[in-house]
Amino acid sequence: MKAIQLVTRGRPLEERTVEPEAPGPDDVMVRVAAVGICHSDVHYRKGPLGPRTLPITLGHEVAGTVVAAGERVDRTRVGERVCLHYQTFCGSCKWCLAGSEQFCGQGRMLGNSRPGGYAEFITVPSVNAVGLPDAIPFEQGAVMMCSSATSLHALRKARLAPGETVAVFGCGGLGMSAVQLARALGAREVFAVDTNPDRLDLAAAFGAVPIDATGDAVRQVHDATDGAGVDVSLEVIGLGSTMRQALDVLGVKGRAAIVGLSTDSIPVVPYADLVGREAEFIGVCDHLLSEIPQLLQFHLDGQLVLDEVVGATVPLSAGDVNDVMDRMERFGGAVRTVIIP
């Protein structure tokens, strides 16, 4: 089958022919219908973050149709529309039993430590293949498996409560989901912070207050909240400057959830930044299988709308995918681009 792989870090992805993995007893093979190009993949291509072993087929936002099933899998699953939870796990270690499978010692991530979805077929444990309702297009089901799911997990980690205020730094795939999901979870007001006017307009259409980050974003948020700051901030870009801003916009007992991949560091003055206002700086790692049903329901209820978020599609072509990633490195291009094999 055709696959697009990261062969050498710092170099363009390459189109290669690989053998599809045969399903094990508890696995399903999925014909890929759509796979999102996530900014994490751009980080992986650039390095140093990303897969330890190369070459690797990238792609962790995947949806498609089950075409084969292992001997211990219900045969009725063949033909099922599915979206894929990208973190595989053992199910029996202390982290899995605690519902935090992203820390499973045997866990492997699609498109990072096991083959991903930039391919015609992908094989995963059947538990990772979640039924995708007919009302949700494959393209949207795919991007929900990272950009939306991680945003929901971040808001839950930040303990967002109804009536609280939120600032979202970055209006790409994760940010657009975060704006909508914050509203769905009862946020009183959501501030969307970005430098791209088109993305700010889309965030405003989703009910957010746009904050133009070409100016002083922190001051604008404080002015808009009468100096109180926000209860929750999400940083989904991965820049030291926006991580610092996510901390600076917090009010008393505020919680900053850091999502974006980065090797940047930022200065923190413990008393002034955290202790004096009992603020929290929270790391967010991936998301949980248990969160996906709620996420799908938000979409079915019309509270998570991705029609304009999935702004472009490309074929399973290394040249096309590299072009998209080049634009993403410059923080340009569509909010989310999806590969259609």
Side-chain angles (χ1 to χ4, degrees), residues 102-183:
Q102 71 270 51
F103 302 116
C104 173
Q106 298 179 47
R108 297 169 68 201
M109 180 182 173
L110 304 185
N112 182 308
S113 47
R114 64 181 290 156
Y118 287 11
E120 295 174 295
F121 298 92
I122 184 172
T123 298
V124 297
S126 61
V127 69
N128 285 75
V130 180
L132 182 66
D134 291 341
I136 302 179
F138 282 120
E139 296 90 338
Q140 297 183 26
V143 302
M144 288 171 69
M145 292 300 96
C146 176
S147 60
S148 302
T150 303
S151 295
L152 177 59
H153 185 63
L155 291 165
R156 293 181 71 237
K157 282 284 293 179
R159 307 189 305 281
L160 173 63
E164 291 191 316
T165 53
V166 179
V168 178
F169 287 83
C171 293
L174 276 84
M176 289 301 181
S177 286
V179 163
Q180 297 181 72
L181 291 168
R183 303 274 297 182

Side-chain angles (χ1 to χ4, degrees), residues 23 26-32 60 62-70 73-74 76-89 101 110 114 122-133 138 141 145 287-290 292-293 296:
D26 298 304
D27 297 337
V28 293
M29 179 185 286
V30 174
R31 182 188 300 275
V32 177
H60 54 275
V62 189
T65 304
V66 175
V67 294
V73 179
D74 187 340
T76 63
R77 298 215 66 183
V78 175
E80 183 181 4
R81 302 173 83 252
V82 294
C83 49
L84 305 186
H85 177 52
Y86 67 58
Q87 185 68 43
T88 66
F89 52 95
E101 69 268 12
L110 304 185
R114 64 181 290 156
I122 184 172
T123 298
V124 297
S126 61
V127 69
N128 285 75
V130 180
L132 182 66
F138 282 120
M145 292 300 96
H287 52 270
L288 306 174
L289 178 62
S290 61
I292 292 177
L296 296 174

